[in-house]
Amino acid sequence: MTDEQVLAEFRAAEALLEGHFILSSGLRSPRYLQCARVLMNPARAARLAEALARKIPDKIKIQLGAVVSPAMGGVIAGHEMGRALSLDAMFVERPDGIFHLRRGFRLEPGQKVLLMEDVVTTGLSSREAIKAVEEAGGQVIAAAALVDRSNGTADLGVPFYPLIRLEVPTYAVDALPPELAAIPAIKPGSRAKVDA
């Protein structure tokens, strides 16, 4: 799948948004990819996960025993990647602000894991999820995401395979360009809100 074909999937789902967005990292951006919208269609989600699975080297795929993703955004992406790789998919969540495996999910000691994200911006939540997998006895040997929007700066500590890399500018709240500062900020995703 080419980058243009991936973007076409996002556009068809009305998931490529423009405005003033507050990212989960706290940074601001004029563009936002609403992966929940692109993943709400099971056929589209399967196409994207299968295309991404083909990018992961066979030498990594043959070692994998599970896919783990961070909740909330990575749950569907992780499930579809599990289907594409014929592996169990589970997720970590933050009931107390720190990622943990819950709901009866467990990893065998040393079990090799693919960490699956929807979007990586700074890599912070990915690194936190990797730590949770390690604390649960697993070993993350690679990470994947539908979108890498880190501009090449995210270091997850393991090989990282995104379906597409998008260079979208991000800004600290105190360094906004005037045209962005003039637009009300929206926090999309599961904790959506408008910040005037």
Side-chain angles (χ1 to χ4, degrees):
M1 190 176 272
T2 67
D3 285 359
E4 194 48 48
Q5 289 170 320
V6 173
L7 288 174
E9 295 280 12
F10 275 85
R11 288 186 189 106
E14 298 177 10
L16 186 55
L17 310 176
E18 295 196 353
H20 180 176
F21 302 100
I22 304 170
L23 306 177
S24 60
S25 64
L27 297 173
R28 306 295 180 96
S29 178
R31 284 184 214 84
Y32 185 80
L33 291 169
Q34 182 53 274
C35 282
R37 283 200 53 88
V38 82
L39 293 171
M40 73 182 189
N41 177 282
R44 179 177 286 122
R47 281 193 302 274
L48 294 171
E50 288 163 7
L52 179 51
R54 287 190 294 273
K55 290 185 125 183
I56 300 169
D58 288 341
K59 67 182 181 181
I60 289 175
K61 286 192 277 197
I62 62 171
Q63 298 180 63
L64 293 170
V67 175
V68 176
S69 56
M72 178 74 202
V75 172
I76 297 172
H79 184 268
E80 289 300 327
M81 182 56 76
R83 182 192 327 250
L85 296 174
S86 297
L87 296 171
D88 285 343
M90 52 194 96
F91 53 88
V92 292
E93 50 192 320
R94 292 180 171 131
D96 57 3
I98 299 170
F99 279 130
H100 303 282
L101 279 177
R102 301 179 66 212
R103 303 175 190 265
F105 294 145
R106 64 181 176 275
L107 296 166
E108 297 300 322
Q111 188 172 13
K112 307 269 193 290
V113 171
L114 174 71
L115 182 78
M116 180 65 193
E117 287 268 23
D118 56 350
V119 179
V120 170
T121 301
T122 65
L124 178 60
S125 69
S126 298
R127 290 188 301 275
E128 290 172 351
I130 289 169
K131 182 177 178 190
V133 167
E134 291 168 351
E135 289 173 353
Q139 179 188 2
V140 175
I141 62 168
L146 294 177
V147 180
D148 174 9
R149 58 171 287 152
S150 74
N151 297 327
T153 63
D155 178 5
L156 307 184
V158 295
F160 176 41
Y161 303 96
L163 181 58
I164 189 170
R165 293 183 192 273
L166 290 180
E167 293 198 18
V168 178
T170 57
Y171 306 96
V173 69
D174 59 355
L176 296 175
E179 63 276 10
L180 201 56
I183 305 170
I186 298 169
K187 184 172 180 80
S190 61
R191 292 185 214 121
K193 69 174 191 169
V194 175
D195 182 25

